[in-house]
């Protein structure tokens, strides 16, 4: 594995996957699907490659773009459960993921993530939170009992357009999201079971390593 010119990890020999991911990125941009940007992807894939998880929970599948990057950087036998509310997005993700070699290792679960997290059992080595921003504290509370003792939780968009750490006014329509993201950052940074890094790349990612 090596970094390409955009910084995220792809295996240059893996031409089929590279072509599929490029197609997904183009599709996402053309159809206004909010998929992770290249700076965020670099932080995500580095954490995944460091952890090499065997069981992953992703909250917010969209078309399965980050899902396939997680799969490609995980242990070879990784199992990924990914949660998506929109049937349209889940259909697209099924199509794209079905064309990859990871199809048999990824389970897309449709419906509200807040409800579907509670239906999961066993433990997860890595959780990627990337769905409703106002629900991050709730997702973390629900995910915590499912997280392996040495697991890692990664959350995208935690700095949300610069509003979360900024001192300027927050537009009314974003106030709840910003309040909840501040709450999320407080939860993970003040919890002494976790060592949390806040990356300013992209829209901000919190990477929280559990170490006891
Ligand atoms: N992780 C994807 C990627 O980077 O390729 C992007 C995910 S996109 C930012 C957020 C997704 O979360 C959307 O597809 C949206 O439909 C989904 N979502 C929003 N609210 C949700 C909920 N309550 N339960 C499950 N999924 C939800």
């Amino acid at each position: 594995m090596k970094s390409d010119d955009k910084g995220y990890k792809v295996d240059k020999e893996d031409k089929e996957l590279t072509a599929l991911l490029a197609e997904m990125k183009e599709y996402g941009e053309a159809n206004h699907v909010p998929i992770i940007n290249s700076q965020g992807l670099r932080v995500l894939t580095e954490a995944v490659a460091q952890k090499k998880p065997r069981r992953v929970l992703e909250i917010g599948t969209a078309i399965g773009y980050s899902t396939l990057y997680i799969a490609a950087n995980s242990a070879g036998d990784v199992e990924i459960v990914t949660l998506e509310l929109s049937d349209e997005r889940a259909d697209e993700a099924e199509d794209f993921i079905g064309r990859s070699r990871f199809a048999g290792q990824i389970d897309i679960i449709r419906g509200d993530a807040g409800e579907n997290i509670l239906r999961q059992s066993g433990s997860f080595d890595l959780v990627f939170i990337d769905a409703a921003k106002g629900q991050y504290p709730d997702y973390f509370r629900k995910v915590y009992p499912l997280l392996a003792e040495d697991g890692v939780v990664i959350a995208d968009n935690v700095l949300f357009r610069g509003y979360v750490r900024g001192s300027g006014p927050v537009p009314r329509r974003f106030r709840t999201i910003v309040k909840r993201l501040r709450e999320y950052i407080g939860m993970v940074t003040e919890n002494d079971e976790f060592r949390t890094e806040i990356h300013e790349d992209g829209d901000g990612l919190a990477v929280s390593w559990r170490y006891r």
Side-chain angles (χ1 to χ4, degrees), residues 24 33-37 41 44 58-68 70 82-87 89-90 109-116 128-133 135-136 139 156-157:
M24 291 171 82
V33 181
I35 58 176
I36 192 165
N37 64 29
L41 203 47
L44 174 67
E58 179 181 55
I59 304 172
T61 317
I63 61 171
Y65 182 71
S66 53
T67 323
L68 287 179
I70 293 170
T82 183
L83 312 178
E84 176 53 53
L85 181 64
S86 154
D87 273 328
R89 295 283 176 255
I109 299 183
R110 295 165 188 248
D112 177 56
E115 292 171 19
N116 283 328
F128 178 44
I129 300 178
D130 192 20
K133 314 298 161 226
Q135 299 301 314
Y136 279 23
Y139 294 154
D156 194 14
N157 309 106

Side-chain angles (χ1 to χ4, degrees), residues 1 18 20 30 36 67 74 86 119 136 140 154 157 181 193 195 207:
M1 300 290 256
T18 304
L20 179 61
I36 192 165
T67 323
S74 295
S86 154
R119 299 197 173 100
Y136 279 23
F140 185 79
I154 302 160
N157 309 106
L181 290 172
E193 286 184 34
R195 179 176 53 81
V207 181

Side-chain angles (χ1 to χ4, degrees), residues 109-181:
I109 299 183
R110 295 165 188 248
D112 177 56
E115 292 171 19
N116 283 328
I117 296 168
L118 297 174
R119 299 197 173 100
Q120 302 308 307
S121 56
S123 83
F124 292 93
D125 306 308
L126 186 142
V127 177
F128 178 44
I129 300 178
D130 192 20
K133 314 298 161 226
Q135 299 301 314
Y136 279 23
D138 184 54
Y139 294 154
F140 185 79
R141 280 184 210 104
K142 289 174 174 168
V143 148
Y144 177 80
L146 296 164
L147 188 67
E149 281 188 1
D150 58 351
V152 57
V153 182
I154 302 160
D156 194 14
N157 309 106
V158 294
L159 298 180
F160 194 66
R161 305 178 190 193
Y163 291 124
V164 171
R165 280 180 165 170
S167 52
V170 178
R172 182 180 290 276
R173 67 188 186 284
F174 296 145
R175 280 188 198 154
T176 302
I177 287 177
V178 169
K179 184 172 150 225
R180 297 274 172 76
L181 290 172

Side-chain angles (χ1 to χ4, degrees), residues 196-212:
T196 294
E197 304 152 0
I198 306 288
H199 296 263
E200 294 190 352
D201 311 67
D203 202 23
L205 286 100
V207 181
S208 303
W209 300 93
R210 190 177 188 188
Y211 58 92
R212 65 174 208 194

